Amino acid sequence: MQKNQLWVQSVDMIIKSIWIYTIAGILGAIFGAIDGILNPVSFLSALAGESGPTGAFGTLDIICQIVVIAGYVLFFLNIKKFMEVQTNEADQKGAKDIYLAYILLIVADVVDFIPVIGGIAWLVLVIVGYVKLLSGFKALRDSATYSELAKSGAAVLYTSTIWILAGAVVSIIPFVGGFINAIITLVVFFTILRGWKKIQDGAPDETTAA
Protein backbone atom coordinates (compact mmCIF):
# COMPACT_ATOMS: atom_id res chain seq x y z
CA MET A 1 0.00 0.00 0.00
CA GLN A 2 1.33 3.47 -0.90
CA LYS A 3 2.62 5.76 1.83
CA ASN A 4 1.13 9.22 2.38
CA GLN A 5 3.18 11.18 -0.15
CA LEU A 6 2.61 14.62 1.42
CA TRP A 7 3.96 13.25 4.71
CA VAL A 8 6.98 11.63 3.03
CA GLN A 9 7.79 14.68 0.90
CA SER A 10 7.47 17.22 3.72
CA VAL A 11 9.73 15.22 6.06
CA ASP A 12 12.19 14.60 3.22
CA MET A 13 12.47 18.37 2.72
CA ILE A 14 12.84 18.90 6.49
CA ILE A 15 15.84 16.55 6.46
CA LYS A 16 17.34 18.25 3.40
CA SER A 17 16.85 21.73 4.87
CA ILE A 18 18.64 20.68 8.08
CA TRP A 19 21.59 19.55 5.97
CA ILE A 20 21.50 22.81 3.98
CA TYR A 21 21.54 25.31 6.85
CA THR A 22 23.98 23.24 8.91
CA ILE A 23 26.59 22.69 6.19
CA ALA A 24 26.20 26.28 4.93
CA GLY A 25 26.67 27.57 8.48
CA ILE A 26 29.85 25.53 8.96
CA LEU A 27 31.29 26.58 5.59
CA GLY A 28 30.37 30.21 6.28
CA ALA A 29 32.25 30.13 9.59
CA ILE A 30 35.30 28.61 7.85
CA PHE A 31 35.23 31.12 4.98
CA GLY A 32 34.72 33.99 7.43
CA ALA A 33 37.74 32.88 9.49
CA ILE A 34 39.92 32.56 6.39
CA ASP A 35 38.79 35.98 5.18
CA GLY A 36 39.67 37.46 8.56
CA ILE A 37 43.20 36.06 8.25
CA LEU A 38 43.77 36.99 4.61
CA ASN A 39 41.88 40.29 4.74
CA PRO A 40 42.47 41.80 8.23
CA VAL A 41 41.19 45.23 7.17
CA SER A 42 37.75 43.73 6.48
CA PHE A 43 37.85 41.88 9.81
CA LEU A 44 38.73 45.02 11.80
CA SER A 45 36.05 47.00 9.98
CA ALA A 46 33.48 44.37 10.92
CA LEU A 47 34.52 44.58 14.58
CA ALA A 48 34.07 48.35 14.42
CA GLY A 49 30.63 47.93 12.87
CA GLU A 50 31.73 49.40 9.58
CA SER A 51 31.79 47.98 6.08
CA GLY A 52 35.18 47.23 4.64
CA PRO A 53 36.65 45.63 1.55
CA THR A 54 35.46 42.06 1.11
CA GLY A 55 37.74 39.39 -0.30
CA ALA A 56 36.76 36.24 -2.16
CA PHE A 57 36.34 34.25 1.06
CA GLY A 58 34.29 37.09 2.57
CA THR A 59 31.98 36.90 -0.44
CA LEU A 60 31.70 33.15 0.00
CA ASP A 61 30.84 33.73 3.66
CA ILE A 62 28.01 36.09 2.65
CA ILE A 63 26.72 33.56 0.11
CA CYS A 64 26.74 30.87 2.82
CA GLN A 65 24.76 33.14 5.15
CA ILE A 66 22.15 33.60 2.43
CA VAL A 67 22.01 29.83 1.94
CA VAL A 68 21.55 29.39 5.71
CA ILE A 69 18.55 31.73 5.61
CA ALA A 70 17.15 29.86 2.61
CA GLY A 71 17.62 26.58 4.48
CA TYR A 72 15.69 27.87 7.48
CA VAL A 73 12.89 29.16 5.25
CA LEU A 74 12.68 25.75 3.58
CA PHE A 75 12.67 24.11 7.01
CA PHE A 76 9.80 26.23 8.34
CA LEU A 77 7.72 25.81 5.18
CA ASN A 78 7.96 22.03 5.42
CA ILE A 79 7.43 21.84 9.18
CA LYS A 80 4.20 23.73 8.45
CA LYS A 81 3.31 21.22 5.69
CA PHE A 82 4.03 18.36 8.08
CA MET A 83 1.73 19.98 10.64
CA GLU A 84 -1.05 20.36 8.06
CA VAL A 85 -0.84 16.72 6.89
CA GLN A 86 -1.70 15.48 10.40
CA THR A 87 -5.28 14.26 10.49
CA ASN A 88 -5.53 13.53 14.21
CA GLU A 89 -6.19 16.57 16.41
CA ALA A 90 -3.66 15.55 19.07
CA ASP A 91 -0.97 14.86 16.43
CA GLN A 92 -1.67 18.19 14.75
CA LYS A 93 -1.30 20.01 18.08
CA GLY A 94 2.00 18.24 18.71
CA ALA A 95 3.31 19.20 15.26
CA LYS A 96 2.08 22.76 15.77
CA ASP A 97 3.98 22.98 19.08
CA ILE A 98 7.14 21.93 17.22
CA TYR A 99 6.51 24.53 14.52
CA LEU A 100 5.89 27.34 17.03
CA ALA A 101 8.85 26.27 19.17
CA TYR A 102 11.29 26.68 16.29
CA ILE A 103 9.82 30.11 15.49
CA LEU A 104 10.31 31.18 19.12
CA LEU A 105 13.93 29.97 19.09
CA ILE A 106 14.68 31.93 15.91
CA VAL A 107 13.02 35.05 17.36
CA ALA A 108 15.09 34.56 20.53
CA ASP A 109 18.31 34.74 18.49
CA VAL A 110 17.11 37.99 16.90
CA VAL A 111 15.99 39.77 20.09
CA ASP A 112 19.26 38.83 21.79
CA PHE A 113 20.84 41.70 19.83
CA ILE A 114 18.58 44.24 21.58
CA PRO A 115 20.52 46.10 24.31
CA VAL A 116 19.56 45.59 27.98
CA ILE A 117 16.21 43.76 27.61
CA GLY A 118 17.44 41.52 24.79
CA GLY A 119 19.13 39.05 27.13
CA ILE A 120 16.03 38.70 29.32
CA ALA A 121 13.73 38.31 26.31
CA TRP A 122 16.14 35.73 24.85
CA LEU A 123 16.06 33.67 28.04
CA VAL A 124 12.25 33.72 28.26
CA LEU A 125 11.79 32.81 24.60
CA VAL A 126 14.36 30.00 24.77
CA ILE A 127 12.72 28.47 27.85
CA VAL A 128 9.23 28.66 26.33
CA GLY A 129 10.57 27.43 22.98
CA TYR A 130 12.23 24.33 24.38
CA VAL A 131 9.26 23.54 26.62
CA LYS A 132 7.00 23.60 23.54
CA LEU A 133 9.53 21.61 21.51
CA LEU A 134 9.70 18.87 24.12
CA SER A 135 5.91 18.95 24.45
CA GLY A 136 5.48 18.55 20.69
CA PHE A 137 7.91 15.65 20.31
CA LYS A 138 6.41 13.96 23.39
CA ALA A 139 2.92 14.24 21.88
CA LEU A 140 4.09 12.57 18.66
CA ARG A 141 6.05 9.97 20.60
CA ASP A 142 2.88 9.02 22.51
CA SER A 143 0.58 9.33 19.48
CA ALA A 144 -2.35 6.93 19.29
CA THR A 145 -2.25 6.90 15.48
CA TYR A 146 1.47 6.93 14.59
CA SER A 147 3.22 3.74 13.54
CA GLU A 148 5.77 2.30 15.97
CA LEU A 149 8.56 3.43 13.64
CA ALA A 150 7.29 7.02 13.50
CA LYS A 151 6.82 7.08 17.29
CA SER A 152 10.37 5.84 17.80
CA GLY A 153 11.55 8.66 15.53
CA ALA A 154 9.71 11.21 17.66
CA ALA A 155 11.28 9.62 20.75
CA VAL A 156 14.74 10.09 19.22
CA LEU A 157 13.95 13.77 18.56
CA TYR A 158 12.65 14.19 22.12
CA THR A 159 15.85 12.70 23.56
CA SER A 160 18.01 14.75 21.17
CA THR A 161 16.36 17.94 22.43
CA ILE A 162 17.21 17.00 26.01
CA TRP A 163 20.82 16.43 24.97
CA ILE A 164 20.92 19.87 23.32
CA LEU A 165 19.85 21.41 26.63
CA ALA A 166 22.38 19.28 28.53
CA GLY A 167 25.10 20.44 26.16
CA ALA A 168 24.16 24.08 26.75
CA VAL A 169 24.47 23.56 30.51
CA VAL A 170 27.78 21.69 30.19
CA SER A 171 29.18 24.47 27.97
CA ILE A 172 29.48 26.81 30.96
CA ILE A 173 32.14 24.56 32.53
CA PRO A 174 35.49 26.37 32.22
CA PHE A 175 38.04 25.07 29.71
CA VAL A 176 36.38 21.76 28.73
CA GLY A 177 32.70 22.79 28.57
CA GLY A 178 32.82 24.17 25.04
CA PHE A 179 34.63 21.09 23.73
CA ILE A 180 32.15 18.68 25.34
CA ASN A 181 29.22 20.71 24.01
CA ALA A 182 30.74 20.62 20.51
CA ILE A 183 30.88 16.81 20.65
CA ILE A 184 27.30 16.60 21.94
CA THR A 185 26.13 18.99 19.20
CA LEU A 186 27.82 16.89 16.49
CA VAL A 187 26.27 13.65 17.74
CA VAL A 188 22.85 15.26 18.18
CA PHE A 189 22.96 16.58 14.60
CA PHE A 190 23.00 13.01 13.31
CA THR A 191 20.45 11.72 15.84
CA ILE A 192 18.04 14.48 14.76
CA LEU A 193 18.42 13.41 11.14
CA ARG A 194 17.86 9.80 12.22
CA GLY A 195 14.73 10.75 14.15
CA TRP A 196 13.16 12.58 11.20
CA LYS A 197 14.13 9.73 8.87
CA LYS A 198 12.27 7.29 11.11
CA ILE A 199 9.21 9.55 11.06
CA GLN A 200 9.44 9.66 7.27
CA ASP A 201 9.77 5.88 6.94
CA GLY A 202 6.92 5.42 9.43
CA ALA A 203 4.50 7.49 7.32
CA PRO A 204 0.93 6.17 7.34
CA ASP A 205 -0.63 4.59 4.28
CA GLU A 206 -2.81 6.80 2.11
CA THR A 207 -5.96 5.07 3.34
CA THR A 208 -4.87 5.44 6.97
CA ALA A 209 -4.24 9.14 6.57
CA ALA A 210 -7.49 9.80 4.74
Side-chain angles (χ1 to χ4, degrees), residues 16-147:
K16 287 178 179 176
S17 63
I18 293 172
W19 274 107
I20 289 171
Y21 66 66
T22 301
I23 298 301
I26 293 171
L27 290 176
I30 293 172
F31 292 144
I34 294 174
D35 184 60
I37 295 171
L38 299 180
N39 192 10
V41 174
S42 175
F43 178 71
L44 292 174
S45 297
L47 288 179
E50 302 172 356
S51 59
T54 302
F57 285 103
T59 302
L60 288 173
D61 180 20
I62 293 171
I63 292 173
C64 286
Q65 291 176 34
I66 295 171
V67 174
V68 167
I69 294 171
Y72 274 114
V73 170
L74 192 64
F75 177 80
F76 280 112
L77 288 174
N78 285 280
I79 283 283
K80 189 171 186 293
K81 287 181 182 178
F82 177 71
M83 175 186 73
E84 292 169 349
V85 81
Q86 307 300 315
T87 55
N88 177 279
E89 185 177 346
D91 296 341
Q92 191 170 68
K93 182 182 182 304
K96 185 176 182 180
D97 279 346
I98 295 169
Y99 176 70
L100 293 175
Y102 281 118
I103 290 178
L104 289 173
L105 294 175
I106 289 293
V107 172
D109 285 339
V110 175
V111 301
D112 192 31
F113 290 100
I114 301 174
V116 187
I117 64 169
I120 299 173
W122 173 85
L123 181 61
V124 172
L125 288 170
V126 165
I127 291 173
V128 175
Y130 274 106
V131 167
K132 290 192 78 66
L133 195 58
L134 287 169
S135 174
F137 287 137
K138 182 177 184 297
L140 300 188
R141 182 194 68 184
D142 300 336
S143 170
T145 60
Y146 270 34
S147 65

Side-chain angles (χ1 to χ4, degrees), residues 8-21:
V8 172
Q9 291 168 7
S10 63
V11 178
D12 180 60
M13 291 307 297
I14 288 170
I15 294 171
K16 287 178 179 176
S17 63
I18 293 172
W19 274 107
I20 289 171
Y21 66 66

Side-chain angles (χ1 to χ4, degrees), residues 15 18-19 22-23 26 156-157 160 182-198:
I15 294 171
I18 293 172
W19 274 107
T22 301
I23 298 301
I26 293 171
V156 170
L157 293 172
S160 297
I183 294 175
I184 292 174
T185 301
L186 178 63
V187 173
V188 166
F189 169 69
F190 289 104
T191 60
I192 287 174
L193 292 173
R194 177 169 166 262
W196 280 113
K197 180 61 177 172
K198 281 190 166 190

